[in-house]
């Protein structure tokens, strides 16, 4: 009996030992299976990521769907599936997936992706609702950010330099308000996006390219951005792109700093070379933009041509290139460039804007209007097309339609002074001086350092017979104009000389006329004005010489011919007199000549009207207004 009991206990111990071993084996088997399954899932995740990198979106959607099912619909894999659907342009399906698994409230990334899907289907109201009600002040400071899910204090991965998701959400709010034509709110959210993360370049691009800020506001915003010491290059680049009208010399210094190469030592044994941005296309575009604003169209054209040889479809530089080609009359270049753009980008505003520039250059304004209008229809925020549309009407003296285009541009681009400048110029053309003054002063408020504005203010006060004030405006315009002066500033010099002549400051007027001739030696009207000034001084001999030069360049000028006859008669009288006979009156002319000269000197005379409409306002009309709708706009 004792023996049987011992055998029974021995068998029980063996049975228990056997069960324990099988349990360990079972656990090990489950662990191995789990590890193998996780490896398979990670391999599948890699396949999905690689498909998205290689733009194989259908494949990415297929494998992401299987991955989510095999992994048990984890949030990480569902987010990857939703991203694949978004990249494959299946926006509604991606949104449904996020809502089906109640992921929108899980993480900011999920909510942002859902809002992006709504933005792509143009459901802007729901997009804003998805992002949540947000409050932001005029300076772009988000109020109660934590309550809205915008944790702006959360640090991003410095090593990876990720764009903060809160910044991306602020940018999307701005886009939504922009689409709903609430530009004031859009402006605040774009500022908030840039303040949340200065690396959010799209927010900066919206603010600058859409001319939403004045020069002063741009400077204030840039000063408020917090850049790391190693990000100084970005701060410099932003400054070069933003402040086009202020401190051109400072911008040149910043561009030079971007272009220079520096060596920054890390340790005693190694050093790091900070690469120069000298050959970067954006820096080259900033230089070309500065040259265009200075009126140096030849250099701007050469710079943009060199840039487009490197990158033939650099669209941000394209308006500058087209504007410089238009100023230089390069109609063949405009034709070829427009043809190429229409072939490559038939749905972009810049392509049809280029076609409009070509027709504007060959003076077919009806066709130019048609294509400028098409450009505005494709992209409502493309400023050059709106101003070009107005200028094409103005070129044919259709003031009402031109004004409508300019007013639309002024409403859309509140930070740009050019629409107000063009409106003021159009009122000048129609001799509505009070309204012209109002809009020109508004342009001056928006951009206080543009010499073109001061030129037009000078023209306006000249017509009001306020010659002393006009002289001050013209003098300030020439002081602000970049040195050395180029040919495009010759009309302003002539304007200044006319004003000095009206103030009977003949010696200074002659000096200014000679400066104008140095800039543009074939100015027939300038030679005539110079001869007339000498004539007023009583120097009929020199007056005759300059009248002859003017007629040599423009033989059909009736006024110059008439004044030449008067000067010849005066010279004959002077030569035949004994020296004691002097012509009566302060001007030194006989009575018939005195009457003629006094009429010419009045604002209602043929000469004055000719000078005012063709020369005094030449920079402000035929040259400036054409240049105004292109200078500094990229869009650009």
């Amino acid at each position: 009996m004792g023996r049987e009991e011992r055998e029974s206990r021995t068998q029980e111990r063996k049975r228990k030992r056997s069960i324990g071993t099988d349990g360990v084996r079972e656990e090990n088997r489950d662990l191995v299976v789990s590890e193998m399954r996780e490896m398979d899932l990670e391999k599948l995740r890699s396949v999905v990521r690689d498909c998205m990198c290689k733009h194989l979106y259908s494949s990415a959607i297929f494998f992401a769907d299987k991955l989510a099912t095999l992994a048990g619909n984890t949030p990480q894999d569902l987010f990857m599936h939703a991203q694949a659907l978004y990249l494959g342009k299946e926006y509604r399906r991606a949104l449904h997936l996020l809502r089906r698994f109640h992921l929108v409230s899980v993480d900011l990334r999920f909510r942002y992706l859902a809002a992006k899907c709504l933005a792509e289907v143009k459901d802007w109201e729901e997009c804003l609702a998805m992002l949540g009600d947000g409050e932001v002040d005029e300076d772009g400071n988000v109020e109660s950010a934590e309550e809205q899910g915008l944790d702006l204090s959360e640090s991003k991965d410095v090593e990876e330099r990720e764009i903060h998701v809160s910044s991306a959400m602020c940018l999307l709010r701005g886009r939504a308000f922009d689409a709903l034509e609430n530009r004031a709110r859009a402006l605040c959210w774009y500022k908030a996006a840039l303040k949340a993360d200065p690396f959010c370049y799209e927010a900066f691009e919206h603010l600058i390219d859409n001319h939403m800020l004045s020069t002063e506001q741009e400077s204030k915003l840039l000063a408020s951005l917090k850049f790391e010491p190693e990000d100084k290059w970005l701060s410099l680049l932003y400054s070069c792109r933003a402040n086009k009208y202020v401190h051109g010399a400072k911008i040149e210094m910043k561009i030079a700093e971007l272009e220079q190469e520096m060596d920054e030592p890390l340790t005693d044994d190694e050093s790091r070379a900070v690469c120069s941005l000298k050959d970067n296309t954006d820096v080259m575009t900033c230089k070309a933009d500065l040259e265009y604003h200075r009126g140096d169209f030849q250099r701007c054209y050469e710079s943009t041509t060199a840039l487009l040889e490197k990158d033939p479809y650099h669209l941000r530089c394209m308006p500058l290139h087209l504007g410089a080609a238009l100023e230089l009359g390069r109609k063949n270049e405009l034709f070829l460039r427009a043809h190429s753009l229409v072939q490559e980008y038939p749905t972009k505003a810049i392509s049809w804007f280029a076609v409009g520039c070509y027709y504007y250059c060959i003076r077919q304004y009806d066709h130019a209007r048609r294509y400028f209008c098409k450009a505005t229809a494709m992209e409502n925020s493309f400023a050059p097309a709106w101003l070009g549309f107005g200028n094409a009407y103005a070129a044919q003296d259709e003031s009402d339609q031109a004004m409508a285009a300019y007013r639309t541009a002024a409403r859309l681009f509140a930070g740009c002074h050019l629409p107000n400048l063009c409106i003021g110029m159009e009122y000048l053309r129609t001799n509505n001086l009070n309204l012209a003054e109002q809009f020109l002063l508004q342009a001056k408020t928006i951009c206080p350092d543009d010499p073109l504005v001061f030129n037009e203010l000078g023209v306006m006060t000249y017509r009001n017979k306020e010659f002393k004030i006009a002289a001050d405006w013209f003098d300030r315009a020439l002081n602000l104009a970049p040195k050395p002066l180029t040919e495009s500033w010759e009309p302003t010099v002539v304007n200044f000389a006319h004003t000095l002549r009206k103030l009977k400051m003949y010696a200074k007027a002659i000096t200014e006329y000679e400066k104008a001739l140095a800039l543009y030696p074939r100015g027939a009207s300038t030679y005539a004005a110079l001869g007339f000034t000498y004539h007023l001084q009583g120097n009929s001999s020199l007056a005759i010489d300059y009248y002859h030069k003017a007629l040599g360049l423009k033989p059909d000028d009736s006024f110059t011919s008439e004044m030449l006859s008067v000067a010849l008669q005066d010279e004959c009288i002077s030569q035949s007199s004994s020296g004691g006979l002097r012509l009566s009156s302060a001007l030194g002319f006989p009575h018939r000549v005195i009457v003629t000269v006094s009429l010419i000197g009045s604002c209602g005379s043929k000469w004055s009207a000719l000078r005012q409409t063709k020369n005094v306002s030449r920079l402000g009309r035929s040259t400036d207004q054409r240049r105004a709708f292109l200078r500094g706009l990229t869009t650009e």
Side-chain angles (χ1 to χ4, degrees), residues 1-46:
M1 196 66 183
R3 181 178 176 183
E4 290 178 358
E5 187 177 352
R6 284 196 302 272
E7 288 179 354
S8 175
R9 289 178 179 176
T10 301
Q11 289 177 358
E12 183 68 22
R13 283 197 298 270
K14 287 182 179 180
R15 186 179 65 81
K16 288 181 179 180
R17 195 180 301 120
S18 174
I19 292 172
T21 303
D22 292 342
V24 171
R25 288 176 181 174
E26 186 68 27
E27 289 179 3
N28 290 337
R29 188 183 303 111
D30 290 343
L31 182 62
V32 169
V33 170
S34 177
E35 290 178 353
M36 290 179 64
R37 185 184 177 205
E38 187 60 35
M39 289 175 62
D40 291 339
L41 291 176
E42 192 58 41
K43 179 180 177 181
L44 196 53
R45 291 188 186 100
S46 299

Side-chain angles (χ1 to χ4, degrees), residues 13-190:
R13 283 197 298 270
K14 287 182 179 180
R15 186 179 65 81
K16 288 181 179 180
R17 195 180 301 120
S18 174
I19 292 172
T21 303
D22 292 342
V24 171
R25 288 176 181 174
E26 186 68 27
E27 289 179 3
N28 290 337
R29 188 183 303 111
D30 290 343
L31 182 62
V32 169
V33 170
S34 177
E35 290 178 353
M36 290 179 64
R37 185 184 177 205
E38 187 60 35
M39 289 175 62
D40 291 339
L41 291 176
E42 192 58 41
K43 179 180 177 181
L44 196 53
R45 291 188 186 100
S46 299
V47 170
V48 174
R49 284 192 288 266
D50 188 59
C51 287
M52 289 193 287
C53 289
K54 290 184 169 65
H55 311 290
L56 303 172
Y57 299 130
S58 295
S59 299
I61 293 170
F62 175 82
F63 289 114
D65 177 55
K66 307 308 174 288
L67 170 65
T69 304
L70 291 172
N73 294 323
T74 62
Q76 174 190 356
D77 296 314
L78 287 171
F79 182 68
M80 186 177 289
H81 187 196
Q83 277 189 314
L85 289 169
Y86 178 85
L87 292 173
K89 299 185 179 181
E90 297 190 28
Y91 308 117
R92 291 290 184 187
R93 189 179 170 193
L95 182 62
H96 175 73
L97 177 69
L98 293 170
R99 284 173 168 168
R100 175 188 168 195
F101 289 96
H102 309 288
L103 296 174
V104 174
S105 59
V106 171
D107 192 293
L108 279 181
R109 295 176 303 156
F110 297 103
R111 195 201 308 180
Y112 174 67
L113 183 57
K116 285 286 288 181
C117 292
L118 290 166
E120 291 296 337
V121 297
K122 311 298 182 187
D123 195 345
W124 299 110
E125 295 284 359
E126 182 129 7
C127 175
L128 287 172
M130 179 66 68
L131 292 169
D133 295 330
E135 294 297 330
V136 63
D137 62 16
E138 293 182 356
D139 295 326
N141 300 313
V142 180
E143 300 174 4
S144 302
E146 291 78 7
E147 295 178 7
Q148 301 165 30
L150 301 177
D151 186 6
L152 301 179
S153 63
E154 180 185 343
S155 61
K156 58 182 180 179
D157 192 332
V158 177
E159 185 175 348
E160 295 294 333
R161 298 311 301 251
E162 297 175 351
I163 303 296
H164 203 298
V165 65
S166 299
S167 176
M169 293 180 74
C170 291
L171 172 64
L172 189 53
R173 287 176 190 265
R175 282 190 57 206
F177 280 114
D178 217 344
L180 294 171
E181 297 188 0
N182 189 340
R183 292 177 67 83
R185 294 277 288 166
L187 169 62
C188 296
W189 282 111
Y190 287 144

Side-chain angles (χ1 to χ4, degrees), residues 372-446:
F372 286 141
C373 182
K374 186 171 183 177
T376 60
M378 286 188 169
E379 189 177 336
N380 193 46
S381 61
F382 190 61
W386 278 110
L387 293 172
F389 191 32
N391 289 339
Y393 276 117
Q396 294 183 310
D397 296 334
E398 298 184 27
S399 292
D400 293 340
Q401 293 88 338
M403 285 293 195
Y406 294 147
R407 288 193 180 100
T408 302
R411 177 176 57 84
L412 292 176
F413 315 111
C416 181
H417 74 293
L418 296 177
N420 288 313
L421 175 60
C422 289
I423 292 172
M425 289 158 61
E426 193 62 23
Y427 277 128
L428 269 178
R429 190 179 68 81
T430 56
N431 211 34
N432 192 334
L433 300 183
N434 291 331
L435 285 175
E437 181 179 15
Q438 177 183 336
F439 281 95
L440 291 174
L441 289 176
Q442 286 181 12
K444 176 178 173 291
T445 302
I446 297 172

Side-chain angles (χ1 to χ4, degrees), residues 296-316:
D296 195 348
F297 303 117
Q298 183 60 44
R299 287 187 62 186
C300 176
Y301 180 78
E302 292 170 358
S303 299
T304 54
T305 301
L307 191 156
L308 291 172
E309 286 178 358
K310 295 178 60 176
D311 185 354
Y313 300 102
H314 192 279
L315 298 185
R316 199 173 75 78

Side-chain angles (χ1 to χ4, degrees), residues 211 245 292-293 297 323 326-327 353 360 383-388 391 406 416-423 425 450 452-453 456 619-633:
H211 305 278
Y245 303 107
Y292 194 94
H293 281 81
F297 303 117
L326 179 59
E327 289 292 339
F353 173 73
Y360 196 102
W386 278 110
L387 293 172
N391 289 339
Y406 294 147
C416 181
H417 74 293
L418 296 177
N420 288 313
L421 175 60
C422 289
I423 292 172
M425 289 158 61
D450 188 359
L452 300 180
V453 177
E456 295 309 309
L619 184 63
R621 184 67 184 90
S622 62
T623 300
D624 269 5
Q625 199 163 356
R626 185 177 66 197
R627 186 176 6 155
F629 75 91
L630 291 166
R631 59 196 300 271
L633 305 176

